[in-house]
Amino acid sequence: MPQFAKSVTATVPAKVNLALGVGPLRADGYHELATVYQAVGLYDEITVSRRSAGSGITISAAGPDAESVPIDRTNLAWQAAELVSSQADAEPDVHIHIDKRIPIAGGMAGGSADAAGALLACDVLWRASLPREQMAELASELGSDIPFLLYGGTAIGTGRGENITSAMARGSYHWVFAVSDRGLPTPKVYAECDRLRTGSQVGEPTVPPSLMEALLAGDPIRVGESLVNDLQPAAISLRPELDLVLEIGNDAGALGSLVSGSGPTCAFLVADEEAALDLAVSLSASGLCSGVERATGPVGGAKLKES
Ligand code: ATP
């Protein structure tokens, strides 16, 4: 391995929220959350390469949705590189290439995955060796889902979702994802959630004990029964057709189904690979979604390769 890598590639998974409890709106504009994340085997690949001194940051993207990936400072990977450069006292002269496989604006934390990948890749490229706690802090500064993606697995997120505690979880789970080609902006879904809750008392969010027990036992049937997402009514209110998509999974005998995060991706937990294939066929045939992905979880967090 060369002493100073020319480039570092991070492979970072998507997430699904097995439970997403949304509490009251906080004074800082965020909602208090209690969530259970699971990292699933759908990956973005983020390669950070050195550029000549003074040439700054550039971004390119590949993959089916490449044209929707921002290539300016609004890209979270760009912001991640800038943050590491300021902490590591390194000049931010890098090209960031994103091979995009995670659906964009789909509630699967694709942009967050790219930020997590860029944080870790820049840390290695610049030999910064920032302590783990500092990386987690930078991650939470950039976005609520990013700290989880550094570690992956199955974990509980509190606060805005950025305070991570790993969950006692056994077993491997088969997922099918119905993807829409029209993303749902996360802030719009939270605003709709607030609108739908107008006049009702919103309590502190909690993680369902039944879900934690099912995960501890590694029981996919009980996990399926315990899936819950407080943002689902809001996502369906904005996209009524999501109800029909979820129905396809229920009719096909999925163990559980829910809108993933803020949507519009719908996630289905199924018994095995065969059930996943059958459901994927039904979803594709329905014409109600633009793509179908299959993945298992939990998987580990970001992985790095130097070249
Ligand atoms: P989450 O599940 O974290 O709420 P999401 O999966 O719904 O997020 P993303 O794919 O992360 O949504 O992107 C949402 C928006 O963020 C995009 O529409 C885009 O404008 C912006 N964005 C910033 N950086 C990226 C990136 N690296 N890849 C894709 N979108 C990005």
Side-chain angles (χ1 to χ4, degrees):
M1 194 181 289
Q3 202 187 355
F4 286 103
K6 286 204 187 83
S7 64
V8 180
T9 297
T11 306
V12 190
K15 61 84 184 165
V16 60
N17 300 80
L18 308 183
L20 180 50
V22 180
L25 187 61
R26 307 191 313 197
D28 64 3
Y30 289 99
H31 290 79
E32 192 67 23
L33 302 184
T35 188
V36 181
Y37 296 107
Q38 185 165 99
V40 295
L42 266 183
Y43 299 93
D44 275 2
E45 215 177 68
I46 303 94
T47 300
V48 181
S49 309
R50 290 181 195 285
R51 302 182 73 213
S52 52
S55 52
I57 299 176
T58 50
I59 295 205
S60 60
D65 298 329
E67 77 285 349
S68 307
V69 176
I71 54 165
D72 56 13
R73 207 179 169 273
T74 62
N75 194 306
L76 287 169
W78 181 305
Q79 294 168 33
E82 282 186 339
L83 263 188
V84 178
S85 91
S86 67
Q87 302 287 315
D89 217 8
E91 290 305 316
D93 298 318
V94 286
H95 180 69
I96 303 171
H97 181 72
I98 299 173
D99 194 357
K100 191 100 202 129
R101 301 289 151 186
I102 303 173
I104 294 184
M108 298 191 76
S112 300
D114 301 345
L119 280 177
L120 293 166
C122 289
D123 179 63
V124 170
L125 192 72
W126 292 325
R127 294 283 186 266
S129 302
L130 298 179
R132 206 181 154 99
E133 302 74 44
Q134 196 177 348
M135 289 300 271
E137 225 162 86
L138 296 183
S140 75
E141 215 174 289
L142 282 169
S144 308
D145 295 338
I146 304 175
F148 168 68
L149 295 168
L150 298 176
Y151 310 117
T154 305
I156 297 172
T158 54
R160 293 181 276 118
E162 85 282 23
N163 299 324
I164 302 299
T165 320
S166 95
M168 304 275 280
R170 289 192 177 90
S172 181
Y173 299 85
H174 294 267
W175 293 97
V176 180
F177 298 101
V179 178
S180 163
D181 55 4
R182 284 187 307 133
L184 259 180
T186 305
K188 204 171 154 186
V189 181
Y190 275 100
E192 181 65 2
C193 176
D194 290 337
R195 193 187 69 80
L196 293 175
R197 287 170 159 187
T198 308
S200 50
Q201 192 70 25
V202 180
E204 286 306 308
T206 52
V207 160
S210 60
L211 175 62
M212 301 322 291
E213 285 158 21
L215 285 168
L216 182 60
D219 181 343
I221 295 176
R222 280 163 57 206
V223 169
E225 288 165 358
S226 306
L227 299 175
V228 60
N229 180 359
D230 285 351
L231 286 180
Q232 186 160 310
I236 292 175
S237 165
L238 295 168
R239 289 283 169 79
E241 69 271 21
L242 295 183
D243 228 2
L244 302 175
V245 177
L246 292 170
E247 228 173 84
I248 296 171
N250 299 337
D251 291 349
L255 305 178
S257 49
L258 84 176
V259 168
S260 175
S262 54
T265 301
C266 291
F268 303 92
L269 181 63
V270 294
D272 51 29
E273 189 53 36
E274 198 183 328
L277 264 173
D278 285 350
L279 178 54
V281 170
S282 303
L283 287 165
S284 302
S286 74
L288 287 168
C289 49
S290 63
V292 181
E293 302 280 355
R294 286 176 290 129
T296 56
V299 297
K303 292 198 178 48
L304 296 174
K305 202 176 82 200
E306 297 181 41
S307 52

